[in-house]
Coordinates of all heavy atoms in Angstrom, one line a residue:
M1 N -121.6 -60.4 -203.8 CA -121.4 -61.3 -204.8 C -122.7 -61.6 -205.5 O -123.7 -61.8 -204.9 CB -120.9 -62.6 -204.2 CG -119.6 -63.1 -204.7 SD -119.6 -63.9 -206.3 CE -120.7 -65.2 -206.1
D2 N -122.6 -61.6 -206.9 CA -123.8 -61.9 -207.7 C -123.4 -62.8 -208.8 O -122.2 -62.9 -209.1 CB -124.4 -60.6 -208.2 CG -125.8 -60.8 -208.7 OD1 -126.4 -61.9 -208.5 OD2 -126.3 -59.8 -209.3
R3 N -124.3 -63.4 -209.5 CA -124.0 -64.2 -210.7 C -125.0 -63.9 -211.8 O -126.2 -63.7 -211.6 CB -124.2 -65.7 -210.3 CG -123.8 -66.6 -211.5 CD -123.9 -68.1 -211.1 NE -123.4 -68.9 -212.2 CZ -124.0 -69.2 -213.3 NH1 -125.3 -68.8 -213.5 NH2 -123.5 -70.0 -214.2
R4 N -124.4 -63.7 -213.0 CA -125.2 -63.3 -214.1 C -125.0 -64.3 -215.3 O -123.8 -64.4 -215.7 CB -124.9 -61.9 -214.6 CG -125.2 -60.9 -213.5 CD -124.9 -59.5 -213.9 NE -125.2 -58.6 -212.8 CZ -124.5 -57.6 -212.5 NH1 -123.6 -57.2 -213.3 NH2 -124.8 -56.8 -211.4
P5 N -126.0 -65.0 -215.8 CA -125.7 -65.9 -216.9 C -125.6 -65.0 -218.2 O -126.4 -64.2 -218.5 CB -127.0 -66.7 -217.0 CG -128.0 -65.9 -216.3 CD -127.3 -65.0 -215.3
H6 N -124.5 -65.3 -218.9 CA -124.2 -64.5 -220.1 C -124.2 -65.4 -221.4 O -124.0 -64.9 -222.5 CB -122.9 -63.7 -220.0 CG -123.0 -62.6 -219.1 ND1 -123.8 -61.5 -219.5 CD2 -122.5 -62.3 -217.9 CE1 -123.7 -60.6 -218.5 NE2 -122.9 -61.0 -217.6
G7 N -124.2 -66.7 -221.2 CA -124.3 -67.6 -222.4 C -122.9 -67.8 -223.0 O -122.8 -68.0 -224.2
G8 N -121.8 -67.6 -222.3 CA -120.5 -67.8 -222.9 C -120.1 -69.2 -222.8 O -120.8 -70.1 -222.4
G9 N -118.8 -69.5 -223.1 CA -118.2 -70.8 -223.0 C -118.6 -71.7 -224.1 O -119.4 -71.3 -225.0
L10 N -118.1 -72.9 -224.2 CA -118.3 -73.8 -225.3 C -119.8 -74.2 -225.4 O -120.3 -74.4 -226.5 CB -117.4 -75.0 -225.1 CG -115.9 -74.8 -225.2 CD1 -115.2 -76.1 -224.9 CD2 -115.6 -74.3 -226.6
S11 N -120.4 -74.4 -224.3 CA -121.8 -74.9 -224.3 C -122.8 -73.7 -224.3 O -124.0 -74.0 -224.4 CB -122.1 -75.8 -223.1 OG -122.1 -75.1 -221.9
G12 N -122.4 -72.5 -224.2 CA -123.3 -71.4 -224.1 C -123.9 -71.2 -222.8 O -124.9 -70.4 -222.6
A13 N -123.4 -71.8 -221.7 CA -124.0 -71.8 -220.4 C -123.1 -71.1 -219.3 O -123.5 -71.1 -218.2 CB -124.4 -73.2 -220.0
L14 N -122.0 -70.7 -219.7 CA -121.0 -70.1 -218.8 C -121.5 -68.8 -218.2 O -121.9 -67.9 -219.0 CB -119.7 -69.9 -219.5 CG -118.5 -69.4 -218.6 CD1 -118.2 -70.4 -217.5 CD2 -117.3 -69.1 -219.5
G15 N -121.6 -68.6 -216.9 CA -122.0 -67.4 -216.3 C -120.9 -66.6 -215.8 O -119.8 -67.1 -215.6
T16 N -121.2 -65.3 -215.5 CA -120.2 -64.4 -214.9 C -120.6 -64.1 -213.5 O -121.7 -63.8 -213.3 CB -120.1 -63.1 -215.8 OG1 -119.7 -63.4 -217.1 CG2 -119.1 -62.2 -215.1
Y17 N -119.6 -64.2 -212.6 CA -119.9 -63.8 -211.3 C -119.4 -62.3 -211.1 O -118.5 -61.9 -211.9 CB -119.0 -64.6 -210.3 CG -119.4 -66.1 -210.2 CD1 -118.8 -67.0 -211.0 CD2 -120.4 -66.5 -209.3 CE1 -119.2 -68.4 -210.9 CE2 -120.8 -67.8 -209.2 CZ -120.1 -68.7 -210.0 OH -120.5 -70.1 -209.9
V18 N -120.0 -61.6 -210.2 CA -119.7 -60.2 -210.0 C -119.5 -60.0 -208.6 O -120.3 -60.4 -207.7 CB -120.9 -59.3 -210.5 CG1 -120.5 -57.8 -210.3 CG2 -121.2 -59.5 -212.0
V19 N -118.3 -59.4 -208.2 CA -118.0 -59.1 -206.9 C -117.7 -57.6 -206.7 O -117.3 -56.9 -207.7 CB -116.7 -59.8 -206.4 CG1 -117.0 -61.3 -206.2 CG2 -115.5 -59.6 -207.3
Q20 N -117.9 -57.1 -205.5 CA -117.7 -55.6 -205.3 C -116.6 -55.6 -204.2 O -116.6 -56.2 -203.2 CB -118.9 -54.9 -204.7 CG -118.7 -53.4 -204.5 CD -119.9 -52.7 -204.0 OE1 -120.8 -53.3 -203.4 NE2 -120.0 -51.4 -204.2
D21 N -115.6 -54.7 -204.5 CA -114.5 -54.5 -203.6 C -114.9 -53.6 -202.5 O -115.5 -52.5 -202.7 CB -113.3 -53.9 -204.3 CG -112.0 -53.8 -203.5 OD1 -112.1 -53.4 -202.3 OD2 -111.0 -54.1 -204.1
D22 N -114.7 -54.0 -201.2 CA -115.1 -53.2 -200.1 C -114.4 -51.9 -200.0 O -114.9 -50.9 -199.5 CB -114.9 -54.0 -198.8 CG -115.9 -55.1 -198.6 OD1 -117.0 -55.1 -199.2 OD2 -115.7 -56.0 -197.8
E23 N -113.1 -51.9 -200.4 CA -112.3 -50.7 -200.3 C -112.6 -49.6 -201.4 O -112.9 -48.4 -201.1 CB -110.8 -51.0 -200.4 CG -110.4 -51.8 -199.1 CD -109.0 -52.2 -199.2 OE1 -108.2 -51.6 -200.0 OE2 -108.6 -53.1 -198.4
D24 N -112.6 -50.0 -202.7 CA -112.9 -49.0 -203.7 C -114.3 -49.0 -204.2 O -114.7 -48.2 -205.1 CB -111.9 -49.2 -204.9 CG -112.0 -50.5 -205.6 OD1 -113.1 -51.1 -205.5 OD2 -111.1 -50.8 -206.4
E25 N -115.1 -49.9 -203.8 CA -116.5 -50.1 -204.1 C -116.8 -50.3 -205.6 O -117.9 -50.1 -206.1 CB -117.3 -48.9 -203.6 CG -117.3 -48.8 -202.1 CD -118.2 -47.6 -201.6 OE1 -118.8 -46.9 -202.4 OE2 -118.3 -47.5 -200.3
R26 N -115.7 -50.7 -206.3 CA -115.9 -51.0 -207.8 C -116.3 -52.5 -207.9 O -116.1 -53.3 -207.0 CB -114.6 -50.8 -208.5 CG -114.2 -49.4 -208.6 CD -112.9 -49.2 -209.4 NE -113.1 -49.8 -210.7 CZ -112.0 -50.2 -211.5 NH1 -110.8 -49.9 -211.1 NH2 -112.2 -50.7 -212.6
Y27 N -116.9 -52.8 -209.0 CA -117.4 -54.2 -209.3 C -116.4 -54.8 -210.3 O -115.9 -54.2 -211.2 CB -118.8 -54.1 -210.0 CG -119.8 -53.7 -209.0 CD1 -120.2 -52.4 -208.9 CD2 -120.4 -54.6 -208.2 CE1 -121.2 -52.0 -208.0 CE2 -121.4 -54.3 -207.3 CZ -121.8 -52.9 -207.2 OH -122.7 -52.5 -206.3
Y28 N -116.2 -56.1 -210.1 CA -115.3 -56.9 -210.9 C -115.9 -58.2 -211.3 O -116.6 -58.8 -210.5 CB -114.0 -57.2 -210.2 CG -113.2 -56.0 -209.7 CD1 -113.5 -55.4 -208.5 CD2 -112.3 -55.4 -210.5 CE1 -112.9 -54.2 -208.1 CE2 -111.7 -54.2 -210.2 CZ -111.9 -53.6 -208.9 OH -111.3 -52.5 -208.5
G29 N -115.7 -58.6 -212.5 CA -116.3 -59.9 -213.0 C -115.3 -61.0 -213.1 O -114.1 -60.8 -213.2
F30 N -115.8 -62.2 -213.0 CA -115.0 -63.4 -213.2 C -115.9 -64.6 -213.5 O -117.1 -64.6 -213.3 CB -114.1 -63.7 -211.9 CG -114.8 -64.1 -210.7 CD1 -115.0 -65.4 -210.4 CD2 -115.4 -63.1 -209.9 CE1 -115.7 -65.8 -209.2 CE2 -116.1 -63.5 -208.7 CZ -116.3 -64.8 -208.4
D31 N -115.2 -65.7 -214.0 CA -116.0 -66.9 -214.2 C -115.5 -68.0 -213.3 O -114.5 -67.8 -212.5 CB -116.0 -67.3 -215.7 CG -114.7 -67.7 -216.2 OD1 -113.9 -68.4 -215.6 OD2 -114.4 -67.2 -217.3
Y32 N -116.1 -69.2 -213.3 CA -115.7 -70.3 -212.4 C -114.3 -70.7 -212.5 O -113.7 -71.2 -211.5 CB -116.6 -71.5 -212.6 CG -116.2 -72.3 -213.9 CD1 -115.4 -73.4 -213.7 CD2 -116.7 -71.9 -215.1 CE1 -115.0 -74.1 -214.9 CE2 -116.3 -72.6 -216.2 CZ -115.4 -73.7 -216.1 OH -115.1 -74.4 -217.2
R33 N -113.6 -70.4 -213.6 CA -112.2 -70.8 -213.7 C -111.3 -70.1 -212.8 O -110.2 -70.5 -212.4 CB -111.7 -70.6 -215.1 CG -112.4 -71.5 -216.1 CD -112.1 -71.2 -217.5 NE -112.6 -69.8 -217.8 CZ -112.5 -69.2 -219.0 NH1 -111.9 -69.8 -220.0 NH2 -113.0 -68.0 -219.2
Q34 N -111.7 -68.9 -212.3 CA -110.9 -68.1 -211.4 C -111.1 -68.5 -209.9 O -110.4 -67.9 -209.0 CB -111.2 -66.6 -211.6 CG -110.8 -66.1 -212.9 CD -109.3 -66.3 -213.2 OE1 -108.5 -66.2 -212.3 NE2 -109.0 -66.7 -214.4
I35 N -112.0 -69.4 -209.6 CA -112.3 -69.8 -208.2 C -111.2 -70.8 -207.8 O -111.0 -71.8 -208.4 CB -113.7 -70.4 -208.1 CG1 -114.8 -69.4 -208.5 CG2 -113.9 -70.9 -206.6 CD1 -116.1 -70.0 -208.6
V36 N -110.5 -70.5 -206.7 CA -109.4 -71.3 -206.2 C -110.0 -72.3 -205.2 O -110.4 -71.9 -204.1 CB -108.3 -70.5 -205.6 CG1 -107.2 -71.4 -205.0 CG2 -107.8 -69.4 -206.5
T37 N -110.2 -73.5 -205.6 CA -110.7 -74.6 -204.7 C -110.4 -75.9 -205.4 O -110.0 -76.0 -206.5 CB -112.2 -74.4 -204.5 OG1 -112.7 -75.3 -203.5 CG2 -113.0 -74.6 -205.8
E38 N -110.6 -77.0 -204.6 CA -110.6 -78.3 -205.1 C -112.0 -78.8 -205.5 O -112.9 -78.4 -204.8 CB -110.0 -79.3 -204.1 CG -108.5 -79.0 -203.8 CD -108.0 -79.9 -202.7 OE1 -108.6 -81.0 -202.5 OE2 -106.9 -79.6 -202.2
G39 N -112.1 -79.6 -206.5 CA -113.4 -80.1 -206.8 C -114.3 -79.1 -207.6 O -113.8 -78.3 -208.4
F40 N -115.6 -79.2 -207.4 CA -116.6 -78.4 -208.1 C -116.4 -76.9 -207.7 O -116.4 -76.5 -206.6 CB -118.0 -78.8 -207.7 CG -119.1 -78.2 -208.5 CD1 -119.1 -78.4 -209.9 CD2 -120.0 -77.4 -207.9 CE1 -120.2 -77.8 -210.6 CE2 -121.0 -76.8 -208.6 CZ -121.1 -77.0 -210.0
R41 N -116.2 -76.0 -208.7 CA -116.0 -74.6 -208.5 C -117.2 -73.8 -208.6 O -117.8 -73.6 -209.7 CB -115.0 -74.1 -209.6 CG -113.6 -74.7 -209.4 CD -112.7 -74.2 -210.5 NE -111.4 -74.9 -210.4 CZ -110.3 -74.5 -211.0 NH1 -110.3 -73.3 -211.6 NH2 -109.2 -75.2 -210.9
T42 N -117.7 -73.4 -207.5 CA -118.9 -72.6 -207.5 C -118.9 -71.7 -206.2 O -118.2 -72.0 -205.3 CB -120.2 -73.5 -207.5 OG1 -121.4 -72.6 -207.7 CG2 -120.4 -74.2 -206.2
I43 N -119.7 -70.7 -206.3 CA -119.8 -69.7 -205.2 C -121.3 -69.4 -205.1 O -122.0 -69.2 -206.1 CB -119.0 -68.4 -205.4 CG1 -117.5 -68.8 -205.4 CG2 -119.3 -67.4 -204.4 CD1 -116.6 -67.6 -205.6
R44 N -121.8 -69.2 -203.9 CA -123.2 -68.8 -203.7 C -123.3 -67.3 -203.7 O -122.5 -66.6 -203.3 CB -123.7 -69.3 -202.3 CG -123.8 -70.8 -202.2 CD -124.3 -71.3 -200.9 NE -124.4 -72.7 -200.9 CZ -125.1 -73.3 -199.9 NH1 -125.6 -72.7 -198.9 NH2 -125.1 -74.6 -199.9
T45 N -124.4 -66.9 -204.2 CA -124.7 -65.4 -204.3 C -124.7 -64.9 -202.8 O -125.3 -65.5 -201.9 CB -126.1 -65.2 -204.9 OG1 -126.1 -65.7 -206.2 CG2 -126.4 -63.7 -204.9
G46 N -124.0 -63.8 -202.6 CA -123.9 -63.2 -201.3 C -122.8 -63.7 -200.5 O -122.5 -63.1 -199.4
E47 N -122.1 -64.7 -200.9 CA -120.9 -65.2 -200.2 C -119.7 -64.3 -200.2 O -119.5 -63.6 -201.2 CB -120.5 -66.6 -200.8 CG -119.5 -67.3 -200.0 CD -119.3 -68.7 -200.6 OE1 -120.0 -69.1 -201.5 OE2 -118.4 -69.4 -200.0
R48 N -119.0 -64.2 -199.1 CA -117.8 -63.3 -199.0 C -116.6 -64.0 -199.7 O -116.4 -65.2 -199.5 CB -117.5 -63.0 -197.6 CG -118.5 -62.1 -196.9 CD -118.2 -61.8 -195.5 NE -117.5 -62.9 -194.8 CZ -116.2 -62.7 -194.3 NH1 -115.6 -61.5 -194.4 NH2 -115.6 -63.7 -193.6
V49 N -115.9 -63.3 -200.5 CA -114.7 -63.8 -201.1 C -113.5 -62.8 -201.0 O -113.7 -61.6 -200.7 CB -114.9 -64.1 -202.6 CG1 -116.0 -65.1 -202.8 CG2 -115.3 -62.8 -203.4
R50 N -112.3 -63.3 -201.3 CA -111.1 -62.5 -201.4 C -110.6 -62.7 -202.8 O -110.7 -63.8 -203.3 CB -110.1 -62.9 -200.4 CG -108.8 -62.1 -200.4 CD -107.9 -62.5 -199.3 NE -107.5 -63.9 -199.4 CZ -107.2 -64.7 -198.4 NH1 -107.2 -64.2 -197.1 NH2 -106.9 -66.0 -198.5
F51 N -110.1 -61.7 -203.4 CA -109.6 -61.8 -204.8 C -108.5 -60.8 -205.1 O -108.3 -59.8 -204.4 CB -110.8 -61.6 -205.8 CG -111.5 -60.3 -205.7 CD1 -111.1 -59.3 -206.5 CD2 -112.5 -60.1 -204.8 CE1 -111.7 -58.0 -206.5 CE2 -113.1 -58.8 -204.7 CZ -112.7 -57.8 -205.6
H52 N -107.9 -61.1 -206.2 CA -106.9 -60.1 -206.8 C -107.5 -59.5 -208.0 O -108.4 -60.1 -208.7 CB -105.6 -60.8 -207.2 CG -104.8 -61.3 -206.1 ND1 -103.8 -60.5 -205.5 CD2 -104.8 -62.5 -205.5 CE1 -103.3 -61.2 -204.5 NE2 -103.8 -62.4 -204.5
I53 N -107.1 -58.3 -208.3 CA -107.6 -57.6 -209.6 C -106.6 -58.0 -210.7 O -105.4 -57.9 -210.5 CB -107.6 -56.1 -209.4 CG1 -108.6 -55.8 -208.3 CG2 -108.0 -55.4 -210.7 CD1 -108.6 -54.3 -207.8
S54 N -107.1 -58.4 -211.8 CA -106.2 -58.8 -212.9 C -105.4 -57.6 -213.4 O -105.9 -56.5 -213.7 CB -107.1 -59.3 -214.0 OG -106.3 -59.6 -215.2
A55 N -104.1 -57.9 -213.6 CA -103.2 -56.9 -214.2 C -103.5 -56.7 -215.7 O -103.3 -55.6 -216.2 CB -101.8 -57.3 -214.0
E56 N -104.0 -57.7 -216.4 CA -104.3 -57.7 -217.8 C -105.6 -57.0 -218.1 O -105.7 -56.4 -219.1 CB -104.2 -59.1 -218.4 CG -102.9 -59.7 -218.3 CD -102.9 -61.1 -218.8 OE1 -103.9 -61.6 -219.3 OE2 -101.8 -61.8 -218.7
S57 N -106.6 -57.2 -217.2 CA -107.9 -56.7 -217.4 C -108.4 -56.0 -216.1 O -108.9 -56.8 -215.2 CB -108.9 -57.7 -217.9 OG -108.5 -58.3 -219.1
P58 N -108.2 -54.7 -215.9 CA -108.5 -54.1 -214.6 C -110.0 -54.2 -214.1 O -110.3 -53.9 -213.0 CB -108.1 -52.7 -214.8 CG -107.7 -52.5 -216.2 CD -107.7 -53.8 -216.9
D59 N -110.9 -54.7 -215.0 CA -112.3 -54.9 -214.6 C -112.6 -56.3 -214.2 O -113.7 -56.7 -213.9 CB -113.2 -54.4 -215.7 CG -113.1 -55.2 -217.0 OD1 -112.0 -55.8 -217.2 OD2 -114.1 -55.3 -217.7
R60 N -111.5 -57.2 -214.2 CA -111.7 -58.6 -213.9 C -111.0 -59.0 -212.6 O -110.0 -58.5 -212.3 CB -111.1 -59.5 -215.0 CG -111.7 -59.2 -216.4 CD -113.0 -59.7 -216.6 NE -113.1 -61.1 -216.5 CZ -114.2 -61.8 -216.4 NH1 -115.4 -61.2 -216.4 NH2 -114.2 -63.1 -216.4
A61 N -111.7 -59.9 -211.9 CA -111.1 -60.5 -210.6 C -110.5 -61.8 -211.0 O -110.9 -62.5 -212.0 CB -112.2 -60.7 -209.6
E62 N -109.4 -62.2 -210.3 CA -108.8 -63.5 -210.5 C -108.3 -64.0 -209.1 O -108.3 -63.3 -208.1 CB -107.6 -63.4 -211.4 CG -106.5 -62.4 -211.0 CD -105.4 -62.3 -212.0 OE1 -105.6 -62.7 -213.2 OE2 -104.4 -61.6 -211.7
F63 N -108.0 -65.3 -209.1 CA -107.6 -66.0 -207.8 C -108.6 -65.7 -206.7 O -108.3 -65.3 -205.6 CB -106.2 -65.5 -207.4 CG -105.2 -65.7 -208.4 CD1 -104.6 -64.6 -209.0 CD2 -104.8 -67.0 -208.8 CE1 -103.6 -64.7 -210.0 CE2 -103.8 -67.1 -209.8 CZ -103.2 -66.0 -210.4
V64 N -109.9 -66.1 -207.0 CA -111.0 -65.8 -206.1 C -111.0 -67.0 -205.0 O -111.1 -68.1 -205.4 CB -112.3 -65.7 -206.8 CG1 -113.5 -65.5 -205.9 CG2 -112.3 -64.6 -207.9
I65 N -111.0 -66.6 -203.7 CA -111.0 -67.5 -202.6 C -112.2 -67.3 -201.8 O -112.5 -66.2 -201.4 CB -109.7 -67.3 -201.8 CG1 -108.5 -67.6 -202.6 CG2 -109.8 -68.3 -200.6 CD1 -107.2 -67.2 -202.0
R66 N -113.0 -68.4 -201.5 CA -114.2 -68.3 -200.7 C -113.7 -68.1 -199.2 O -112.9 -68.9 -198.7 CB -115.0 -69.6 -200.8 CG -115.4 -69.8 -202.3 CD -116.0 -71.2 -202.5 NE -117.3 -71.3 -201.8 CZ -117.9 -72.4 -201.6 NH1 -117.4 -73.5 -202.1 NH2 -119.1 -72.4 -201.0
L67 N -114.3 -67.2 -198.5 CA -114.0 -67.0 -197.1 C -114.9 -67.7 -196.2 O -114.5 -68.0 -195.0 CB -114.1 -65.5 -196.8 CG -113.1 -64.6 -197.6 CD1 -113.3 -63.1 -197.2 CD2 -111.6 -65.0 -197.3
D68 N -116.1 -68.0 -196.6 CA -117.1 -68.7 -195.7 C -117.4 -70.1 -196.3 O -118.4 -70.3 -196.9 CB -118.4 -67.9 -195.6 CG -118.1 -66.5 -195.0 OD1 -117.3 -66.4 -194.1 OD2 -118.7 -65.5 -195.5
Q69 N -116.5 -71.0 -196.1 CA -116.7 -72.4 -196.6 C -117.9 -73.0 -195.8 O -117.9 -73.0 -194.6 CB -115.5 -73.2 -196.4 CG -114.3 -72.8 -197.2 CD -114.5 -73.1 -198.7 OE1 -115.2 -74.0 -199.0 NE2 -113.8 -72.3 -199.5
P70 N -118.9 -73.5 -196.5 CA -120.0 -74.1 -195.9 C -119.6 -75.5 -195.3 O -118.7 -76.1 -195.8 CB -121.0 -74.3 -197.0 CG -120.2 -74.4 -198.2 CD -119.0 -73.5 -198.0
D71 N -120.3 -75.9 -194.3 CA -120.1 -77.2 -193.7 C -120.7 -78.2 -194.7 O -121.9 -78.1 -195.1 CB -120.9 -77.3 -192.4 CG -120.8 -78.7 -191.7 OD1 -120.0 -79.5 -192.2 OD2 -121.6 -78.9 -190.8
P72 N -119.9 -79.2 -195.2 CA -120.4 -80.1 -196.2 C -121.7 -80.8 -195.8 O -122.6 -81.0 -196.6 CB -119.3 -81.1 -196.3 CG -118.1 -80.4 -195.9 CD -118.5 -79.5 -194.8
A73 N -121.9 -81.1 -194.5 CA -123.2 -81.8 -194.1 C -124.4 -80.8 -194.2 O -125.4 -81.3 -194.6 CB -123.1 -82.2 -192.6
E74 N -124.2 -79.5 -194.0 CA -125.2 -78.6 -194.2 C -125.5 -78.3 -195.7 O -126.6 -78.1 -196.1 CB -124.9 -77.2 -193.5 CG -124.9 -77.3 -192.0 CD -126.3 -77.5 -191.4 OE1 -127.2 -77.0 -192.0 OE2 -126.4 -78.3 -190.4
Y75 N -124.4 -78.3 -196.5 CA -124.5 -78.0 -197.9 C -125.3 -79.0 -198.7 O -126.1 -78.7 -199.6 CB -123.1 -77.8 -198.4 CG -123.0 -77.3 -199.8 CD1 -123.1 -75.9 -200.0 CD2 -122.9 -78.1 -200.9 CE1 -123.0 -75.4 -201.3 CE2 -122.8 -77.6 -202.2 CZ -122.9 -76.2 -202.4 OH -122.8 -75.7 -203.7
Y76 N -125.2 -80.3 -198.3 CA -125.8 -81.3 -199.1 C -127.0 -81.9 -198.4 O -127.4 -83.1 -198.6 CB -124.8 -82.4 -199.3 CG -123.7 -82.0 -200.3 CD1 -122.4 -81.7 -199.8 CD2 -124.0 -81.8 -201.6 CE1 -121.4 -81.2 -200.7 CE2 -123.0 -81.4 -202.5 CZ -121.7 -81.1 -202.0 OH -120.8 -80.6 -202.9
R77 N -127.7 -81.2 -197.6 CA -129.0 -81.7 -197.0 C -130.1 -81.7 -198.0 O -130.2 -81.0 -198.9 CB -129.4 -80.7 -195.9 CG -128.7 -81.0 -194.7 CD -129.3 -80.2 -193.5 NE -128.6 -80.6 -192.4 CZ -128.9 -80.4 -191.1 NH1 -130.0 -79.7 -190.9 NH2 -128.2 -80.7 -190.1

């Protein structure tokens, strides 16, 4: 998992996350709106995720789920 700032979105600060599928070794992009979680939507670089490939855009990931949820006490030290 990687993150690349591209300057999109209304404020020009929206970044694109990039994930690689372990099976087909292809890369897929997505933004924070595709992260399935409650509250603040973010993912750390290198974090493992599960995702679906978009039927509308085959180079895009959607319904991205974090597999390694951090312990909140550790996260906010």
